[in-house]
Amino acid sequence: WVVEHEYGKTFSLKMKGRGNELTQITFYDANHCPGACIVLIQLPNGTTHLHTGDMRYHERFKSYPLLREAVANNTLDIVYLDTTYGHPKHDFVPQDESVESIADAVVELLGYGSDAPETSSKMLKTLILLSCYSIGKEKVLWEAAARTNQLVYVTEKKFHMLQCVQGHESQEVSSQIIHRCTQNADETPIHAIAPWAGEIWPFFRPNFLKCADYARSLNQGYEKVVAFLPTGWAHGSKWNREHSVSQKTVPPRLDDEVGTGSDKKQAPIDVEVRLIPYSEHSAFSELVSFVQYLRP
């Protein structure tokens, strides 16, 4: 059985071997995937443990009442910390800045900028690909959709997953992204895709051909594809930093034709793959800030 617990609502558990003593447990938003939480455990002896699970530290954590109380009373004894990026080399911009930079680029690429009326006729018909896992990066999808007033195409499987993460809009508006999604690929130039637009490990290798093939498979006449790969490993190496924006013109395949019975080949497609420093885990500097606040 799956039992839902609200953020900030404390519940009690009897621990094995502890008789009738009750342990108090409280979930707070972890600023990770929708529904993810940090877990505050208040033991009968008065000490408190914090298990962060996967999290992206945010200053609002300091406003969580019971966590703030434990810090003030110096009762926080143990912290189990998400150390995905527990090395000084892993330092990247705040998440909000990453999301904003992607949305700004999408707005410009689709001709929704302030100079759009003058330039839209000269712009290439562009397909936007936003790389994301099964769950995660909803903030990127939401902001791109909201800023352009476009829907985001998702697969049926992705659509059903997004239906499951609704209901946390008080914590994060992007948990309602399902209302800005469509399963009709022809309805929008913004598509959420699995992370196939490029390999990250051991170094960044964009998949220009797959991006071009995907665009052509839609039969919408796209002339340009721009794929965004938001990842915490974007600046993980000198190679990645130097190749964070990679471009290539992909020629048509020999068997591609414009229409049935025509021997006129499809035009080449310009493909650009961009690595964006973005993560739903804390950067090293954020981990340091959090631990300095907690003082366990």
Side-chain angles (χ1 to χ4, degrees), residues 242-293:
E242 292 178 350
H243 297 82
S244 60
V245 178
S246 298
Q247 300 168 316
K248 183 177 182 179
T249 298
V250 179
R253 292 182 181 273
L254 293 178
D255 57 352
D256 282 342
E257 296 186 352
V258 169
T260 305
S262 172
D263 61 357
K264 183 179 178 182
K265 301 300 180 183
Q266 285 189 348
I269 292 183
D270 293 334
V271 178
E272 184 175 306
V273 183
R274 303 186 187 184
L275 275 184
I276 305 294
Y278 170 97
S279 183
E280 280 155 352
H281 298 271
S282 304
F284 181 78
S285 61
E286 294 169 338
L287 292 176
V288 171
S289 295
F290 193 30
V291 172
Q292 287 175 339
Y293 166 69

Side-chain angles (χ1 to χ4, degrees), residues 16-205:
K16 190 174 181 180
R18 295 271 185 170
N20 290 324
E21 292 183 333
L22 295 177
T23 295
Q24 309 293 323
I25 299 176
T26 308
F27 295 158
Y28 290 114
D29 178 35
N31 193 34
H32 187 64
C33 302
C37 62
I38 62 174
V39 184
L40 198 70
I41 305 165
Q42 297 169 289
L43 301 174
N45 64 5
T47 62
T48 302
H49 293 181
L50 176 66
H51 196 305
T52 70
D54 288 346
M55 66 143 193
R56 179 77 192 255
Y57 174 63
H58 192 281
E59 282 291 307
R60 71 170 178 270
F61 286 17
K62 295 179 180 179
S63 70
Y64 296 159
L66 295 180
L67 180 60
R68 187 175 63 226
E69 180 181 309
V71 171
N73 295 334
N74 199 29
T75 57
L76 190 59
D77 187 47
I78 296 176
V79 176
Y80 299 90
L81 194 65
D82 173 11
T83 56
T84 300
Y85 297 116
H87 189 284
K89 72 177 182 179
H90 298 305
D91 210 6
F92 28 83
V93 300
Q95 192 181 74
D96 291 346
E97 290 184 25
S98 296
V99 172
E100 192 72 15
S101 71
I102 295 173
D104 285 346
V106 172
V107 166
E108 181 181 354
L109 287 163
L110 295 183
Y112 291 98
S114 58
D115 60 348
E118 298 177 11
T119 62
S120 58
S121 62
K122 305 174 186 177
M123 297 180 67
L124 298 178
K125 186 173 183 181
T126 302
L127 173 67
I128 303 295
L129 303 179
L130 301 177
S131 177
C132 51
Y133 299 111
S134 298
I135 294 179
K137 300 182 174 66
E138 289 80 13
K139 295 172 186 176
V140 174
L141 303 183
W142 176 271
E143 196 65 21
R147 291 276 301 278
T148 60
N149 199 30
Q150 291 276 353
L151 297 174
V152 177
Y153 165 72
V154 296
T155 63
E156 181 180 6
K157 180 180 180 181
K158 177 78 171 177
F159 190 87
H160 291 320
M161 287 184 176
L162 292 177
Q163 285 180 315
C164 296
V165 301
Q166 298 181 79
H168 301 283
E169 65 272 18
S170 62
Q171 295 289 333
E172 175 52 55
V173 67
S174 65
S175 67
Q176 297 303 301
I177 183 60
I178 189 69
H179 301 302
R180 291 185 177 270
C181 289
T182 176
Q183 295 180 69
N184 181 355
D186 298 339
E187 201 171 350
T188 175
I190 305 176
H191 290 210
I193 61 168
W196 49 251
E199 299 289 335
I200 302 298
W201 184 259
F203 58 89
F204 176 47
R205 288 156 292 158

Side-chain angles (χ1 to χ4, degrees), residues 212-223:
D213 284 347
Y214 179 81
R216 289 190 175 116
S217 72
L218 300 172
N219 293 317
Q220 293 295 307
Y222 288 115
E223 302 166 282

